[in-house]
């Protein structure tokens, strides 16, 4: 009775250790994926705020302004435009200074302008330069100003970030598969003599593999559910820190990530269990003592 109980406790401890290990690996993978998703959303938001300012000539006609406006609205690269007239700019300056500038001047020194925001896919130095060259040739356009240094800096930073995240994702995937493989293999290694005994009594390979695959699937499901719970808690905590993080981590993407973690946990655990079981199905009695 004591031997059976100790074996039962040993098997249970092995399964718990395997489950916790797989869950921790999935949590690590999920947090890395969350970082990548948030980074992608934030980079899109940064790109959405990039653009340029078109300054019109003081004597430009209303027809020239309307022509330029229609062209901007119909462009696939433009996300948003806002037109500010010369009188509005003068009023804003007067409000900022705290005095009526118009009463001190003979004429309005300001000119109307368009504040243009480009689509995220156009938020690159070359794409913005092409748009600037296009609209610089329109009638009534005096000058176009761009934040070239900011655009180039943002573009370079986002490229480096994407490269680092891609490399980290590949390395993490390799590490996750290796760790889960070792964990599940060690769990089956502890029961290798059971496999050999079942072979001796004539059990088929399919019959022997089935309980191990079922146990691996259950472990993967529980580990995936535990990892998903941690991911959801991390999302709620991140959202409480900054509203921007809440928009960077939508619930749809979080739900899909949790589903992917659970499916991946089940799939990897079952595959590694199948490989480990096949190894001991083909092994002789003497090879059972080799790790």
């Amino acid at each position: 009775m004591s031997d059976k109980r100790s074996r039962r406790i040993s098997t249970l401890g092995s399964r718990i250790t395997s489950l916790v290990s797989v869950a921790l690996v999935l949590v690590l993978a999920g947090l890395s994926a969350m970082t990548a998703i948030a980074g992608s959303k934030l980079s899109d938001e940064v790109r959405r705020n990039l653009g340029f300012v078109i300054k019109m000539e003081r004597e430009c006609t209303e027809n020239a302004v309307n022509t330029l406006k229609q062209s901007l609205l119909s462009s696939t690269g433009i996300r948003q435009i806002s037109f500010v007239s010369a009188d509005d700019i003068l009023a804003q300056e007067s409000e900022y200074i705290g005095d009526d500038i118009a009463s001190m001047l003979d004429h309005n020194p300001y000119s109307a302008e368009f504040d243009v925001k480009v689509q995220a896919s156009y938020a690159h130095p070359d794409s913005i330069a092409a748009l600037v060259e296009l609209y610089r040739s329109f009638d009534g356009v005096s000058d176009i100003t761009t934040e070239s240094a900011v655009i180039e800096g943002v573009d370079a930073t986002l490229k480096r970030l994407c490269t680092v995240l891609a490399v980290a994702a590949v390395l993490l995937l390799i590490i996750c598969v290796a760790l889960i493989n070792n964990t599940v293999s060690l769990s089956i290694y502890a029961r290798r003599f059971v496999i050999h005994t079942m072979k001796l009594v004539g059990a088929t390979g399919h019959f022997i593999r089935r309980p191990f695959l079922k146990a691996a699937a259950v472990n993967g499901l529980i580990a995936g559910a535990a990892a998903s719970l941690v991911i959801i808690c991390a999302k709620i905590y991140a959202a409480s820190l900054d509203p921007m993080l809440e928009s960077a981590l939508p619930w749809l993407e979080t739900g899909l990530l949790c589903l992917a973690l659970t499916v991946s946990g089940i799939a990897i655990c079952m595959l590694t269990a199948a490989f480990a079981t096949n190894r001991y199905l083909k092994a002789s009695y003497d090879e059972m003592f080799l790790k």
Side-chain angles (χ1 to χ4, degrees):
M1 289 292 292
S2 61
D3 290 341
K4 288 183 179 180
R5 184 177 181 183
S6 62
R7 282 198 299 269
R8 200 172 296 164
I9 293 174
S10 177
T11 302
L12 179 61
S14 176
R15 290 193 63 177
I16 292 176
T17 302
S18 174
L19 192 150
V20 172
S21 300
V22 173
L24 289 176
V25 172
L26 291 177
V27 167
L28 182 61
L31 292 176
S32 300
M34 281 184 68
T35 303
I37 293 171
S40 176
K41 294 288 184 182
L42 291 175
S43 67
D44 286 343
E45 187 63 28
V46 170
R47 291 182 184 278
R48 282 164 58 89
N49 289 320
L50 295 178
F52 50 90
V53 177
I54 303 177
K55 295 183 179 295
M56 307 299 293
E57 296 176 351
R58 293 181 188 174
E59 297 81 11
C60 70
T61 62
E62 185 176 348
N63 185 46
V65 172
N66 290 333
T67 301
L68 178 59
K69 183 177 181 180
Q70 291 301 321
S71 178
L72 290 169
L73 291 174
S74 61
S75 175
T76 56
I78 305 301
R79 181 181 65 85
Q80 177 184 336
I81 65 170
S82 58
F83 176 74
V84 185
S85 66
D87 293 336
D88 290 338
I89 296 177
L90 182 60
Q92 291 174 4
E93 290 295 326
S94 298
E95 182 178 355
Y96 177 75
I97 296 175
D99 201 353
D100 187 8
I101 302 178
S103 61
M104 306 177 187
L105 301 174
D106 296 333
H107 63 281
N108 190 342
Y110 300 102
S111 59
E113 59 185 41
F114 285 93
D115 187 8
V116 182
K117 303 297 182 184
V118 300
Q119 299 284 1
S121 58
Y122 279 76
H124 304 281
D126 294 340
S127 300
I128 292 180
L131 290 173
V132 168
E133 287 301 316
L134 171 64
Y135 292 113
R136 197 184 296 275
S137 61
F138 273 66
D139 292 336
V141 174
S142 173
D143 189 22
I144 299 180
T145 58
T146 62
E147 297 177 338
S148 302
V150 174
I151 294 171
E152 292 175 1
V154 168
D155 190 64
T157 301
L158 292 178
K159 284 182 179 179
R160 285 196 297 268
L161 179 62
C162 291
T163 302
V164 170
L165 288 176
V167 173
V170 173
L171 292 176
L172 186 61
L173 179 62
I174 296 173
I175 293 172
C176 287
V177 173
L179 287 176
I180 292 177
N181 177 62
N182 289 337
T183 300
V184 177
S185 296
L186 286 174
S187 176
I188 294 179
Y189 172 78
R191 289 174 284 174
R192 64 196 184 281
F193 288 108
V194 175
I195 296 175
H196 187 71
T197 303
M198 294 175 72
K199 282 170 54 183
L200 293 177
V201 298
T204 62
H206 176 71
F207 181 83
I208 296 173
R209 277 191 298 267
R210 186 168 56 191
F212 290 100
L213 293 178
K214 182 178 178 180
V218 172
N219 277 358
L221 177 62
I222 297 174
S228 299
L229 180 61
V230 174
I231 294 301
I232 291 173
C233 292
K235 184 252 188 299
I236 295 174
Y237 177 72
S240 67
L241 293 178
D242 192 338
M244 184 177 291
L245 289 176
E246 183 175 8
S247 60
L249 294 169
W251 278 110
L252 176 60
E253 279 80 354
T254 303
L256 292 175
L257 174 59
C258 293
L259 178 62
L261 287 177
T262 304
V263 173
S264 299
I266 295 173
I268 296 175
C269 286
M270 289 186 69
L271 285 174
T272 54
F275 288 138
T277 306
N278 287 338
R279 175 186 173 189
Y280 294 113
L281 281 174
K282 298 175 182 178
S284 64
Y285 179 76
D286 293 334
E287 292 172 336
M288 291 289 173
F289 294 93
L290 302 176
K291 191 170 181 179

